[in-house]
Amino acid sequence: MTEMTQKQKYNLKRQIEELKECKGKHTELISLYVPSTKQIFDVTSYLKNELSESQNIKSKTTRKNVLSAIESILSRLKMFKRPPENGVVFFVGHKSIGSDQTEMVAFVIEPPMPFKTFLYRCDSLFYVDPLAEMLTEKDVYGLLLIDRRECTIGILRGSRIDLLKYMTSQVPGKHGKGGQSQRRFERQTEIAAHEWFVKCGEKASEIFNAEDEINGIFVGGPGPTKKYFVEEKYLHYVIQDKIVEVFDTGYTDEFGLRELVSVASETMSDLEVAKEKNVMKRFLKEITKGNKSLAIYGEEQVRKALEMGAVDTLLLSENLRKYRVTLKCPTCGDIKKITIAEADLEDFHSPDCSKCETPTQMEIEEKSDIIDELSELAEKTGCGTILISQNSEEGDSLYSAFSGIAGISRYPIDI
Protein backbone atom coordinates (compact mmCIF):
# COMPACT_ATOMS: atom_id res chain seq x y z
CA MET A 1 0.00 0.00 0.00
CA THR A 2 1.42 3.36 -1.05
CA GLU A 3 1.99 5.80 1.80
CA MET A 4 0.39 9.23 1.71
CA THR A 5 2.48 12.24 0.84
CA GLN A 6 2.71 15.18 3.25
CA LYS A 7 0.39 17.15 1.00
CA GLN A 8 -2.21 14.36 0.91
CA LYS A 9 -2.11 14.05 4.70
CA TYR A 10 -2.57 17.79 5.11
CA ASN A 11 -5.47 17.98 2.64
CA LEU A 12 -7.22 15.02 4.25
CA LYS A 13 -6.74 16.55 7.70
CA ARG A 14 -8.28 19.84 6.51
CA GLN A 15 -11.20 18.03 4.88
CA ILE A 16 -11.91 16.18 8.12
CA GLU A 17 -11.78 19.46 10.07
CA GLU A 18 -14.34 20.98 7.69
CA LEU A 19 -16.60 17.93 7.92
CA LYS A 20 -16.49 17.94 11.72
CA GLU A 21 -17.71 21.54 11.77
CA CYS A 22 -20.97 20.47 10.08
CA LYS A 23 -23.71 19.71 12.58
CA GLY A 24 -27.29 18.86 11.70
CA LYS A 25 -30.33 19.91 13.73
CA HIS A 26 -31.51 16.30 13.56
CA THR A 27 -30.36 13.14 11.77
CA GLU A 28 -30.02 14.95 8.44
CA LEU A 29 -26.37 14.37 7.48
CA ILE A 30 -25.61 11.35 5.30
CA SER A 31 -22.19 9.67 5.11
CA LEU A 32 -21.76 7.11 2.33
CA TYR A 33 -18.53 5.12 1.86
CA VAL A 34 -18.29 3.29 -1.47
CA PRO A 35 -15.19 1.05 -1.79
CA SER A 36 -13.63 0.32 -5.17
CA THR A 37 -15.01 -3.24 -5.09
CA LYS A 38 -18.65 -2.11 -4.89
CA GLN A 39 -20.74 -1.91 -8.05
CA ILE A 40 -22.40 1.47 -8.68
CA PHE A 41 -25.63 -0.34 -9.59
CA ASP A 42 -25.70 -1.99 -6.15
CA VAL A 43 -25.12 1.35 -4.42
CA THR A 44 -27.93 2.96 -6.42
CA SER A 45 -30.29 0.13 -5.50
CA TYR A 46 -29.36 0.49 -1.83
CA LEU A 47 -30.03 4.25 -1.87
CA LYS A 48 -33.37 3.84 -3.63
CA ASN A 49 -34.39 1.49 -0.84
CA GLU A 50 -33.26 4.07 1.75
CA LEU A 51 -35.25 6.69 -0.17
CA SER A 52 -38.35 4.57 0.22
CA GLU A 53 -37.70 3.88 3.92
CA SER A 54 -37.11 7.59 4.62
CA GLN A 55 -40.67 8.38 3.55
CA ASN A 56 -41.67 7.10 7.00
CA ILE A 57 -39.71 9.74 8.94
CA LYS A 58 -42.24 11.50 11.20
CA SER A 59 -40.75 15.01 11.15
CA LYS A 60 -41.73 16.74 7.92
CA THR A 61 -38.61 18.92 7.84
CA THR A 62 -36.24 16.05 8.63
CA ARG A 63 -37.95 13.82 6.06
CA LYS A 64 -37.65 16.51 3.39
CA ASN A 65 -33.94 17.12 4.14
CA VAL A 66 -33.01 13.44 4.21
CA LEU A 67 -34.85 12.75 0.95
CA SER A 68 -33.15 15.67 -0.79
CA ALA A 69 -29.73 14.46 0.47
CA ILE A 70 -30.29 10.93 -0.87
CA GLU A 71 -31.51 12.30 -4.20
CA SER A 72 -28.43 14.51 -4.39
CA ILE A 73 -26.14 11.50 -3.89
CA LEU A 74 -28.07 9.49 -6.49
CA SER A 75 -27.60 12.25 -9.06
CA ARG A 76 -23.85 12.43 -8.29
CA LEU A 77 -23.48 8.66 -8.60
CA LYS A 78 -24.53 8.94 -12.26
CA MET A 79 -21.14 10.54 -12.91
CA PHE A 80 -19.40 7.26 -12.02
CA LYS A 81 -19.28 4.14 -14.18
CA ARG A 82 -17.34 2.48 -11.39
CA PRO A 83 -15.84 3.68 -8.09
CA PRO A 84 -12.33 5.24 -8.24
CA GLU A 85 -9.29 3.12 -7.40
CA ASN A 86 -9.37 4.13 -3.70
CA GLY A 87 -13.17 4.30 -3.49
CA VAL A 88 -15.29 7.42 -3.04
CA VAL A 89 -17.03 8.98 -0.04
CA PHE A 90 -20.14 11.19 -0.12
CA PHE A 91 -21.01 13.58 2.70
CA VAL A 92 -24.34 15.25 1.96
CA GLY A 93 -27.02 16.86 4.11
CA HIS A 94 -28.38 19.96 5.78
CA LYS A 95 -26.14 21.57 8.40
CA SER A 96 -27.38 24.04 10.98
CA ILE A 97 -26.35 27.67 10.37
CA GLY A 98 -28.10 29.22 13.38
CA SER A 99 -31.44 30.97 13.93
CA ASP A 100 -33.26 27.71 13.21
CA GLN A 101 -31.88 27.75 9.65
CA THR A 102 -30.12 25.00 7.70
CA GLU A 103 -27.94 24.92 4.62
CA MET A 104 -27.40 22.11 2.12
CA VAL A 105 -23.77 20.91 1.95
CA ALA A 106 -22.22 18.27 -0.29
CA PHE A 107 -18.69 16.86 -0.27
CA VAL A 108 -17.40 14.16 -2.61
CA ILE A 109 -14.00 12.86 -1.53
CA GLU A 110 -11.70 10.42 -3.24
CA PRO A 111 -9.42 9.41 -0.32
CA PRO A 112 -5.65 9.03 -0.77
CA MET A 113 -5.81 5.45 0.52
CA PRO A 114 -8.30 2.63 -0.17
CA PHE A 115 -10.90 1.38 2.30
CA LYS A 116 -12.76 -1.94 2.20
CA THR A 117 -16.16 -1.52 3.81
CA PHE A 118 -19.37 -0.19 2.25
CA LEU A 119 -21.08 2.04 4.81
CA TYR A 120 -24.22 4.20 4.93
CA ARG A 121 -24.98 6.36 7.95
CA CYS A 122 -27.56 9.07 8.57
CA ASP A 123 -26.86 11.11 11.71
CA SER A 124 -26.57 14.64 13.11
CA LEU A 125 -22.81 14.53 12.39
CA PHE A 126 -20.83 13.25 9.43
CA TYR A 127 -19.09 9.94 10.16
CA VAL A 128 -15.38 10.57 9.50
CA ASP A 129 -13.72 7.79 11.54
CA PRO A 130 -12.63 5.69 8.50
CA LEU A 131 -10.93 8.76 6.99
CA ALA A 132 -9.36 9.73 10.34
CA GLU A 133 -7.88 6.22 10.64
CA MET A 134 -5.92 6.87 7.44
CA LEU A 135 -4.05 9.61 9.31
CA THR A 136 -2.94 7.24 12.07
CA GLU A 137 0.84 7.47 12.22
CA LYS A 138 2.74 4.35 11.20
CA ASP A 139 6.02 5.80 12.53
CA VAL A 140 5.49 4.99 16.25
CA TYR A 141 8.25 4.64 18.87
CA GLY A 142 8.17 4.23 22.63
CA LEU A 143 10.16 6.70 24.74
CA LEU A 144 11.50 5.80 28.19
CA LEU A 145 13.61 8.05 30.43
CA ILE A 146 14.88 6.68 33.73
CA ASP A 147 17.25 7.29 36.63
CA ARG A 148 16.95 6.60 40.35
CA ARG A 149 14.75 9.64 40.95
CA GLU A 150 12.45 9.97 37.94
CA CYS A 151 10.84 7.94 35.15
CA THR A 152 9.02 9.39 32.17
CA ILE A 153 7.18 7.32 29.56
CA GLY A 154 6.06 8.72 26.23
CA ILE A 155 5.26 7.92 22.61
CA LEU A 156 6.61 9.39 19.40
CA ARG A 157 3.92 9.33 16.69
CA GLY A 158 5.39 10.66 13.46
CA SER A 159 6.63 14.01 14.70
CA ARG A 160 4.29 14.33 17.70
CA ILE A 161 5.55 13.54 21.20
CA ASP A 162 2.96 12.45 23.79
CA LEU A 163 3.74 12.27 27.52
CA LEU A 164 1.95 9.20 28.91
CA LYS A 165 3.31 8.76 32.44
CA TYR A 166 5.63 10.59 34.85
CA MET A 167 6.73 9.00 38.14
CA THR A 168 9.10 9.92 40.98
CA SER A 169 10.84 7.50 43.36
CA GLN A 170 11.57 7.33 47.07
CA VAL A 171 15.07 5.91 46.58
CA PRO A 172 17.38 7.57 49.16
CA GLY A 173 20.20 9.75 47.92
CA LYS A 174 23.81 9.96 49.16
CA HIS A 175 24.56 10.16 52.89
CA GLY A 176 27.46 10.85 55.19
CA LYS A 177 27.25 7.85 57.51
CA GLY A 178 30.18 5.43 57.89
CA GLY A 179 30.98 1.92 59.13
CA GLN A 180 28.25 -0.60 59.69
CA SER A 181 25.48 1.98 59.30
CA GLN A 182 26.78 2.84 55.84
CA ARG A 183 26.67 -0.79 54.66
CA ARG A 184 23.14 -1.25 56.03
CA PHE A 185 22.03 1.99 54.39
CA GLU A 186 23.54 0.95 51.05
CA ARG A 187 21.70 -2.39 51.17
CA GLN A 188 18.42 -0.57 51.86
CA THR A 189 19.14 1.83 49.00
CA GLU A 190 19.80 -1.01 46.55
CA ILE A 191 16.58 -2.76 47.60
CA ALA A 192 14.63 0.47 47.11
CA ALA A 193 16.30 1.01 43.71
CA HIS A 194 15.41 -2.54 42.62
CA GLU A 195 11.77 -2.05 43.65
CA TRP A 196 11.75 1.27 41.77
CA PHE A 197 13.11 -0.34 38.60
CA VAL A 198 10.54 -3.15 38.85
CA LYS A 199 7.75 -0.58 39.16
CA CYS A 200 9.03 1.42 36.18
CA GLY A 201 9.53 -1.70 34.07
CA GLU A 202 6.01 -2.96 34.77
CA LYS A 203 4.38 0.40 34.00
CA ALA A 204 6.40 0.97 30.82
CA SER A 205 5.69 -2.58 29.63
CA GLU A 206 1.98 -2.14 30.31
CA ILE A 207 1.84 1.13 28.35
CA PHE A 208 3.91 -0.07 25.38
CA ASN A 209 2.12 -3.41 25.17
CA ALA A 210 -1.17 -1.52 24.81
CA GLU A 211 0.10 0.05 21.56
CA ASP A 212 -1.03 -1.88 18.49
CA GLU A 213 2.01 -1.18 16.34
CA ILE A 214 5.17 0.12 17.95
CA ASN A 215 8.30 0.10 15.80
CA GLY A 216 10.84 0.29 18.61
CA ILE A 217 11.81 1.75 21.98
CA PHE A 218 14.28 4.57 22.70
CA VAL A 219 15.69 4.58 26.24
CA GLY A 220 17.47 7.59 27.72
CA GLY A 221 18.65 9.23 30.91
CA PRO A 222 21.76 10.64 32.62
CA GLY A 223 24.54 8.45 34.00
CA PRO A 224 24.79 4.63 33.96
CA THR A 225 21.34 3.88 35.44
CA LYS A 226 19.56 3.53 32.09
CA LYS A 227 22.05 0.93 30.82
CA TYR A 228 21.80 -1.04 34.08
CA PHE A 229 17.99 -0.95 33.77
CA VAL A 230 18.18 -2.33 30.22
CA GLU A 231 20.89 -4.91 30.91
CA GLU A 232 19.04 -6.30 33.94
CA LYS A 233 15.92 -6.69 31.77
CA TYR A 234 13.33 -4.98 33.96
CA LEU A 235 11.04 -4.63 30.92
CA HIS A 236 8.74 -7.39 29.66
CA TYR A 237 10.67 -9.57 27.21
CA VAL A 238 8.46 -8.53 24.25
CA ILE A 239 9.16 -4.86 24.96
CA GLN A 240 12.81 -5.56 25.83
CA ASP A 241 13.31 -6.97 22.31
CA LYS A 242 12.03 -3.73 20.79
CA ILE A 243 14.72 -1.51 22.32
CA VAL A 244 16.46 0.20 19.40
CA GLU A 245 19.15 2.09 21.29
CA VAL A 246 20.07 3.69 24.61
CA PHE A 247 20.92 7.41 24.59
CA ASP A 248 22.48 9.89 27.02
CA THR A 249 20.14 12.71 28.03
CA GLY A 250 20.49 15.40 30.65
CA TYR A 251 16.87 15.22 31.79
CA THR A 252 14.37 12.54 32.77
CA ASP A 253 11.22 14.68 32.82
CA GLU A 254 8.88 15.92 30.07
CA PHE A 255 11.60 18.15 28.62
CA GLY A 256 13.78 15.05 28.42
CA LEU A 257 11.34 13.45 25.96
CA ARG A 258 12.11 16.14 23.40
CA GLU A 259 15.80 15.80 24.18
CA LEU A 260 15.60 12.01 23.68
CA VAL A 261 13.84 12.41 20.32
CA SER A 262 16.39 15.03 19.28
CA VAL A 263 19.42 12.81 19.97
CA ALA A 264 17.68 9.76 18.48
CA SER A 265 16.90 11.65 15.28
CA GLU A 266 20.61 12.32 14.76
CA THR A 267 21.23 8.61 14.28
CA MET A 268 17.77 7.54 13.06
CA SER A 269 17.64 9.68 9.92
CA ASP A 270 14.61 7.87 8.51
CA LEU A 271 12.36 9.16 11.30
CA GLU A 272 9.78 11.71 10.13
CA VAL A 273 10.74 14.04 12.97
CA ALA A 274 14.40 13.74 11.96
CA LYS A 275 13.63 14.97 8.45
CA GLU A 276 11.80 18.00 9.85
CA LYS A 277 14.57 18.77 12.33
CA ASN A 278 17.33 18.51 9.73
CA VAL A 279 15.73 20.89 7.25
CA MET A 280 14.85 23.38 10.00
CA LYS A 281 18.41 23.24 11.37
CA ARG A 282 19.66 23.99 7.86
CA PHE A 283 17.29 26.97 7.60
CA LEU A 284 18.20 28.35 11.05
CA LYS A 285 21.90 27.98 10.24
CA GLU A 286 21.38 30.04 7.08
CA ILE A 287 19.71 32.78 9.13
CA THR A 288 23.02 33.51 10.88
CA LYS A 289 25.05 33.97 7.67
CA GLY A 290 24.16 37.61 6.98
CA ASN A 291 24.56 38.80 3.37
CA LYS A 292 25.30 35.33 1.98
CA SER A 293 22.31 33.74 3.69
CA LEU A 294 20.01 31.48 1.69
CA ALA A 295 17.20 31.87 4.23
CA ILE A 296 14.03 33.75 3.31
CA TYR A 297 10.92 34.14 5.46
CA GLY A 298 7.62 35.95 5.61
CA GLU A 299 4.83 35.50 3.06
CA GLU A 300 5.67 38.49 0.86
CA GLN A 301 9.38 37.69 0.58
CA VAL A 302 8.84 33.97 0.02
CA ARG A 303 6.13 34.61 -2.58
CA LYS A 304 8.41 36.94 -4.54
CA ALA A 305 11.27 34.44 -4.39
CA LEU A 306 8.95 31.66 -5.63
CA GLU A 307 7.82 33.83 -8.55
CA MET A 308 11.50 34.38 -9.39
CA GLY A 309 12.09 30.62 -9.32
CA ALA A 310 14.80 31.16 -6.73
CA VAL A 311 13.52 28.86 -3.96
CA ASP A 312 15.06 25.41 -3.48
CA THR A 313 13.00 24.28 -0.45
CA LEU A 314 9.71 25.76 0.76
CA LEU A 315 8.95 25.37 4.48
CA LEU A 316 5.34 25.67 5.59
CA SER A 317 3.88 25.18 9.06
CA GLU A 318 1.06 22.64 9.21
CA ASN A 319 -0.71 25.01 11.59
CA LEU A 320 -1.20 27.74 8.99
CA ARG A 321 -4.90 28.47 8.76
CA LYS A 322 -5.04 31.09 6.02
CA TYR A 323 -6.62 31.54 2.61
CA ARG A 324 -5.39 33.29 -0.51
CA VAL A 325 -8.41 35.22 -1.73
CA THR A 326 -8.92 36.64 -5.24
CA LEU A 327 -11.14 39.75 -5.33
CA LYS A 328 -12.70 41.06 -8.53
CA CYS A 329 -14.44 44.35 -9.25
CA PRO A 330 -17.84 43.67 -10.90
CA THR A 331 -17.64 47.00 -12.73
CA CYS A 332 -14.15 47.29 -14.21
CA GLY A 333 -12.94 43.72 -13.71
CA ASP A 334 -9.87 44.73 -11.69
CA ILE A 335 -8.27 41.82 -9.78
CA LYS A 336 -6.73 41.99 -6.32
CA LYS A 337 -5.25 39.16 -4.26
CA ILE A 338 -4.99 39.20 -0.48
CA THR A 339 -4.31 36.73 2.34
CA ILE A 340 -6.90 36.29 5.10
CA ALA A 341 -6.78 34.22 8.28
CA GLU A 342 -9.43 31.50 8.39
CA ALA A 343 -10.85 32.97 11.60
CA ASP A 344 -11.42 36.34 9.89
CA LEU A 345 -12.96 35.00 6.69
CA GLU A 346 -16.54 34.73 7.95
CA ASP A 347 -16.73 38.43 8.93
CA PHE A 348 -14.64 39.67 6.02
CA HIS A 349 -15.95 42.70 4.10
CA SER A 350 -14.50 43.22 0.64
CA PRO A 351 -12.86 46.62 0.04
CA ASP A 352 -13.99 49.08 -2.62
CA CYS A 353 -12.25 48.97 -5.98
CA SER A 354 -9.40 51.49 -6.06
CA LYS A 355 -9.68 52.00 -9.83
CA CYS A 356 -13.36 52.91 -10.06
CA GLU A 357 -14.36 56.55 -9.58
CA THR A 358 -17.68 55.50 -8.07
CA PRO A 359 -17.17 53.33 -4.95
CA THR A 360 -17.73 49.71 -6.01
CA GLN A 361 -17.31 46.83 -3.57
CA MET A 362 -15.11 44.04 -4.89
CA GLU A 363 -16.41 40.48 -4.76
CA ILE A 364 -14.70 37.24 -3.73
CA GLU A 365 -14.13 35.32 -6.94
CA GLU A 366 -11.95 32.52 -5.59
CA LYS A 367 -10.29 31.36 -2.38
CA SER A 368 -7.75 28.62 -1.78
CA ASP A 369 -5.87 27.27 1.21
CA ILE A 370 -2.56 29.12 1.33
CA ILE A 371 -0.60 25.88 1.78
CA ASP A 372 -2.15 24.48 -1.41
CA GLU A 373 -1.60 27.77 -3.25
CA LEU A 374 2.06 28.18 -2.27
CA SER A 375 2.79 24.48 -2.83
CA GLU A 376 1.42 24.68 -6.37
CA LEU A 377 3.50 27.80 -7.02
CA ALA A 378 6.58 25.94 -5.74
CA GLU A 379 5.86 22.89 -7.88
CA LYS A 380 5.87 25.00 -11.07
CA THR A 381 9.50 25.98 -10.44
CA GLY A 382 10.74 22.56 -9.31
CA CYS A 383 10.90 23.65 -5.67
CA GLY A 384 10.41 21.02 -2.96
CA THR A 385 7.82 21.65 -0.24
CA ILE A 386 8.10 20.37 3.34
CA LEU A 387 5.26 20.70 5.85
CA ILE A 388 6.60 21.21 9.36
CA SER A 389 4.57 20.25 12.42
CA GLN A 390 4.58 22.36 15.57
CA ASN A 391 5.58 19.38 17.71
CA SER A 392 9.30 20.18 17.85
CA GLU A 393 11.15 23.30 19.01
CA GLU A 394 12.21 23.95 15.43
CA GLY A 395 8.65 23.58 14.16
CA ASP A 396 7.35 25.85 16.88
CA SER A 397 9.89 28.53 15.94
CA LEU A 398 8.84 28.38 12.26
CA TYR A 399 5.26 29.15 13.24
CA SER A 400 5.85 31.69 16.02
CA ALA A 401 9.00 33.49 14.85
CA PHE A 402 8.64 33.26 11.06
CA SER A 403 4.81 33.29 10.66
CA GLY A 404 4.83 29.71 9.38
CA ILE A 405 6.23 30.54 5.93
CA ALA A 406 9.93 30.31 5.05
CA GLY A 407 12.30 28.92 2.49
CA ILE A 408 15.86 28.09 1.50
CA SER A 409 16.87 29.74 -1.76
CA ARG A 410 19.07 28.34 -4.52
CA TYR A 411 21.36 31.37 -4.34
CA PRO A 412 21.59 34.54 -2.18
CA ILE A 413 18.88 37.02 -3.19
CA ASP A 414 17.98 40.52 -2.10
CA ILE A 415 14.23 41.10 -1.95
Side-chain angles (χ1 to χ4, degrees):
M1 186 181 295
T2 305
E3 287 192 14
M4 282 188 284
T5 64
Q6 278 192 314
K7 185 78 178 302
Q8 287 174 324
K9 285 182 180 180
Y10 173 77
N11 287 336
L12 182 58
K13 182 180 177 181
R14 295 288 280 138
Q15 286 172 331
I16 292 173
E17 287 175 1
E18 189 173 3
L19 290 166
K20 283 184 174 180
E21 288 176 359
C22 298
K23 295 178 174 60
K25 289 183 62 181
H26 305 288
T27 54
E28 302 172 354
L29 299 179
I30 294 176
S31 307
L32 177 67
Y33 287 76
V34 183
S36 60
T37 54
K38 193 77 171 176
Q39 297 293 324
I40 295 296
F41 174 80
D42 292 336
V43 181
T44 301
S45 298
Y46 182 94
L47 287 176
K48 286 180 178 178
N49 183 60
E50 286 295 330
L51 194 67
S52 176
E53 292 290 330
S54 299
Q55 299 283 354
N56 300 320
I57 297 174
K58 292 182 180 180
S59 167
K60 183 179 178 180
T61 302
T62 303
R63 180 170 68 249
K64 177 185 174 184
N65 290 343
V66 171
L67 291 174
S68 67
I70 295 175
E71 287 169 354
S72 174
I73 297 174
L74 281 168
S75 67
R76 293 169 194 274
L77 275 172
K78 293 177 182 178
M79 300 169 62
F80 296 87
K81 290 184 178 180
R82 62 182 64 85
E85 185 180 356
N86 290 338
V88 61
V89 191
F90 299 88
F91 296 100
V92 183
H94 287 74
K95 72 172 184 178
S96 176
I97 55 173
S99 302
D100 224 27
Q101 300 292 311
T102 62
E103 177 183 75
M104 180 76 160
V105 291
F107 304 88
V108 181
I109 297 174
E110 292 184 26
M113 296 179 69
F115 56 92
K116 297 180 179 179
T117 307
F118 173 78
L119 184 147
Y120 172 92
R121 180 170 294 191
C122 187
D123 207 334
S124 58
L125 299 171
F126 285 130
Y127 182 63
V128 299
D129 287 5
L131 292 182
E133 286 174 9
M134 295 180 186
L135 293 173
T136 302
E137 289 290 349
K138 306 297 187 295
D139 203 5
V140 181
Y141 288 85
L143 307 173
L144 174 61
L145 295 164
I146 189 164
D147 64 8
R148 289 193 171 207
R149 307 308 300 253
E150 294 178 310
C151 176
T152 303
I153 304 166
I155 288 284
L156 173 67
R157 304 181 196 276
S159 59
R160 189 180 81 244
I161 301 170
D162 294 327
L163 169 66
L164 302 181
K165 185 71 176 179
Y166 172 73
M167 301 183 292
T168 56
S169 78
Q170 301 298 319
V171 179
K174 294 182 179 180
H175 65 95
K177 296 178 181 178
Q180 199 169 11
S181 295
Q182 181 180 356
R183 289 191 293 275
R184 184 173 65 253
F185 190 86
E186 286 174 348
R187 284 196 300 273
Q188 292 172 346
T189 299
E190 291 308 311
I191 291 171
H194 171 73
E195 292 173 350
W196 165 244
F197 294 149
V198 169
K199 178 182 178 182
C200 294
E202 289 176 348
K203 178 53 68 174
S205 298
E206 175 191 335
I207 290 174
F208 294 147
N209 268 322
E211 290 291 324
D212 291 334
E213 294 183 8
I214 194 163
N215 298 342
I217 310 288
F218 298 140
V219 180
T225 303
K226 57 188 178 296
K227 289 185 179 179
Y228 174 83
F229 177 85
V230 170
E231 289 168 358
E232 293 299 313
K233 300 182 178 180
Y234 283 98
L235 291 166
H236 186 277
Y237 73 92
V238 174
I239 300 302
Q240 183 81 22
D241 289 343
K242 291 187 178 182
I243 294 175
V244 177
E245 200 165 338
V246 180
F247 298 94
D248 288 317
T249 63
Y251 298 89
T252 48
D253 55 9
E254 184 175 3
F255 179 81
L257 291 178
R258 281 195 172 190
E259 186 186 7
L260 177 59
V261 170
S262 182
V263 295
S265 65
E266 292 177 7
T267 57
M268 301 285 291
S269 58
D270 58 330
L271 292 177
E272 182 179 329
V273 68
K275 297 170 186 175
E276 290 188 10
K277 280 179 171 289
N278 289 339
V279 74
M280 279 302 299
K281 283 179 180 178
R282 182 184 164 202
F283 167 75
L284 294 171
K285 186 177 179 180
E286 289 293 335
I287 288 283
T288 64
K289 289 186 178 180
N291 294 334
K292 294 184 179 180
S293 173
L294 300 179
I296 45 176
Y297 51 89
E299 183 187 346
E300 185 178 351
Q301 288 78 4
V302 171
R303 189 178 294 279
K304 286 181 180 178
L306 284 170
E307 290 168 353
M308 292 166 57
V311 184
D312 176 69
T313 306
L314 175 65
L315 309 176
L316 299 172
S317 171
E318 280 187 354
N319 290 67
L320 276 176
R321 292 295 181 268
K322 295 181 178 181
Y323 285 94
R324 188 66 171 172
V325 177
T326 301
L327 303 174
K328 185 176 181 179
C329 175
T331 303
C332 70
D334 185 46
I335 298 290
K336 181 179 181 180
K337 294 188 176 184
I338 58 175
T339 299
I340 304 174
E342 184 179 56
D344 300 330
L345 195 59
E346 189 174 340
D347 299 322
F348 173 71
H349 296 286
S350 297
D352 289 338
C353 178
S354 59
K355 294 190 176 181
C356 290
E357 292 183 6
T358 304
T360 306
Q361 189 178 36
M362 303 186 83
E363 298 174 350
I364 294 179
E365 185 178 59
E366 185 183 2
K367 72 178 178 75
S368 58
D369 188 298
I370 196 169
I371 287 183
D372 288 334
E373 189 253 346
L374 288 175
S375 297
E376 288 173 9
L377 187 58
E379 192 174 341
K380 291 176 182 177
T381 60
C383 167
T385 301
I386 298 180
L387 297 184
I388 307 290
S389 68
Q390 222 179 325
N391 299 318
S392 64
E393 290 180 31
E394 293 86 355
D396 187 59
S397 69
L398 175 65
Y399 183 76
S400 57
F402 302 102
S403 303
I405 301 174
I408 301 172
S409 61
R410 294 187 169 108
Y411 48 84
I413 54 176
D414 184 15
I415 301 178

